[in-house]
Amino acid sequence: MTENTATHTGTPAIEVAGLRKSFGSNEVLTGIDLVVAEGEVVSVIGPSGSGKSTLLRCLNRLEEPSGGSVVVSGMELTSQQADINVVRQNIGMVFQHFNLFPNMTVLENIMLAPVDLRKKSRSEARAAGLSLLERVGLSEKADARPASLSGGQKQRVAIARALAMEPKIMLFDEATSALDPEMVGEVLQVIRDLAASGMTMVLVTHEMGFAREVCDRVVFMDGGTVVEQGAPEQVFGDPQQTRTQEFLSKVL
Ligand code: ADP
Ligand code: MG
């Protein structure tokens, strides 16, 4: 989007080079190179099993790379010196399933990590949590239990909870795939607002229309490798590789 592109500084937020990941003898990432600029919004698309989730998980060390390097906000994640807690505080991640704590209220879910990990005072975390709830349109749900929320509302709480750590980067792994269709739009709207605010984001998504509208760049993965990447109009409108053409012909 132009408003978002204007905020790019050119400083890489994420630099992935030669990233490999194997599970046993199964090499699922076979050498990924990817640079994401600060403020850039990148969507990763590709068939099931192509390694999209594994790539995202390597970006915050939920998976240990087998080879190559991952540099996030100037920090080499695989180095001995990397403090994994600092790394994770800088990168928020939202999953397909929301993983909210069922025995806590919505607001307590959001306050937990800032109080426990960031050592914020409860009153500070509470004020920040309420403001985040307003941002995702759920102020009235602060004292509700997750079980009483719809799927779309739960996912918006999960996004607010990730934002409560004030991350520099947000990763979304199929954040709308588990939702009923009528709830997809409200979650995409929150992601759209984040993009407009200049947040650096990597989104794995099956929402091709959304990727086309919101993202600065689309990365098509297949077989553990980046097959093609470019501006959305380029990749969706005039894909260069046969594998990209075949995939898009099935999903568009
Ligand atoms: P995608 O998100 O594109 O569907 P994934 O990254 O989830 O793909 O998976 C890529 C491949 O890695 C798949 O063959 C999957 O079975 C395998 N895989 C992913 N996670 C694990 C794991 N923890 N252990 C073993 N194999 C895994
Ligand atoms: Mg996946």
Side-chain angles (χ1 to χ4, degrees):
M1 291 202 86
T2 46
E3 66 185 320
N4 187 49
T5 309
T7 66
H8 292 180
T9 60
T11 313
I14 301 172
E15 289 177 276
V16 173
L19 174 63
R20 294 177 175 276
K21 175 64 184 175
S22 299
F23 295 103
S25 60
N26 185 16
E27 188 171 58
V28 305
L29 298 180
T30 62
I32 303 264
D33 298 307
L34 181 68
V35 177
V36 180
E38 263 181 30
E40 196 178 16
V41 180
V42 172
S43 66
V44 180
I45 62 170
S48 180
S50 57
K52 305 180 299 295
S53 293
T54 305
L55 169 62
L56 279 201
R57 293 166 62 82
C58 285
L59 298 182
N60 66 355
R61 280 285 293 279
L62 285 175
E63 297 290 356
E64 189 91 24
S66 310
S69 71
V70 179
V71 178
V72 173
S73 304
M75 198 186 302
E76 166 59 75
L77 300 202
T78 49
S79 80
Q80 296 284 321
Q81 290 83 1
D83 181 337
I84 201 61
N85 292 318
V86 173
V87 169
R88 298 228 175 101
Q89 284 175 20
N90 285 331
I91 305 196
M93 187 154 175
V94 174
F95 303 88
Q96 189 173 342
H97 299 285
F98 333 107
N99 310 318
L100 297 175
F101 301 108
N103 54 336
M104 295 181 187
T105 68
V106 162
L107 184 58
E108 285 165 351
N109 263 276
I110 296 171
M111 289 170 58
L112 185 68
V115 169
D116 277 7
L117 302 175
R118 279 260 153 117
K119 306 298 175 203
K120 283 199 180 185
S121 70
R122 284 191 64 82
S123 64
E124 197 186 348
R126 184 180 181 81
L130 287 170
S131 135
L132 283 167
L133 279 175
E134 195 178 331
R135 190 163 163 191
V136 301
L138 289 172
S139 296
E140 77 284 7
K141 298 294 185 187
D143 299 320
R145 298 273 162 172
S148 71
L149 305 182
S150 71
Q153 291 171 333
K154 283 181 194 159
Q155 193 59 300
R156 286 187 280 152
V157 172
I159 294 170
R161 185 175 59 173
L163 291 173
M165 290 298 279
E166 299 170 2
K168 297 198 181 88
I169 299 166
M170 286 283 285
L171 309 176
F172 291 85
D173 193 356
E174 298 195 25
T176 60
S177 294
L179 299 177
D180 291 336
E182 72 269 25
M183 291 168 190
V184 169
E186 67 196 56
V187 173
L188 293 184
Q189 186 56 45
V190 170
I191 300 175
R192 191 181 280 118
D193 291 345
L194 269 178
S197 79
M199 178 69 80
T200 307
M201 300 200 280
V202 183
L203 320 165
V204 172
T205 185
H206 294 301
E207 300 285 338
M208 299 298 157
F210 181 75
R212 190 169 195 150
E213 170 206 331
V214 169
C215 295
D216 299 302
R217 187 148 49 99
V218 175
V219 172
F220 172 67
M221 280 180 69
D222 194 15
T225 188
V226 173
V227 173
E228 179 164 359
Q229 59 176 305
E233 12 348 324
Q234 159 70 52
V235 175
F236 289 121
D238 186 22
Q240 302 297 301
Q241 302 295 324
T242 314
R243 278 195 282 175
T244 319
Q245 291 161 4
E246 283 168 1
F247 174 74
L248 291 175
S249 73
K250 288 181 208 144
V251 298
L252 286 182

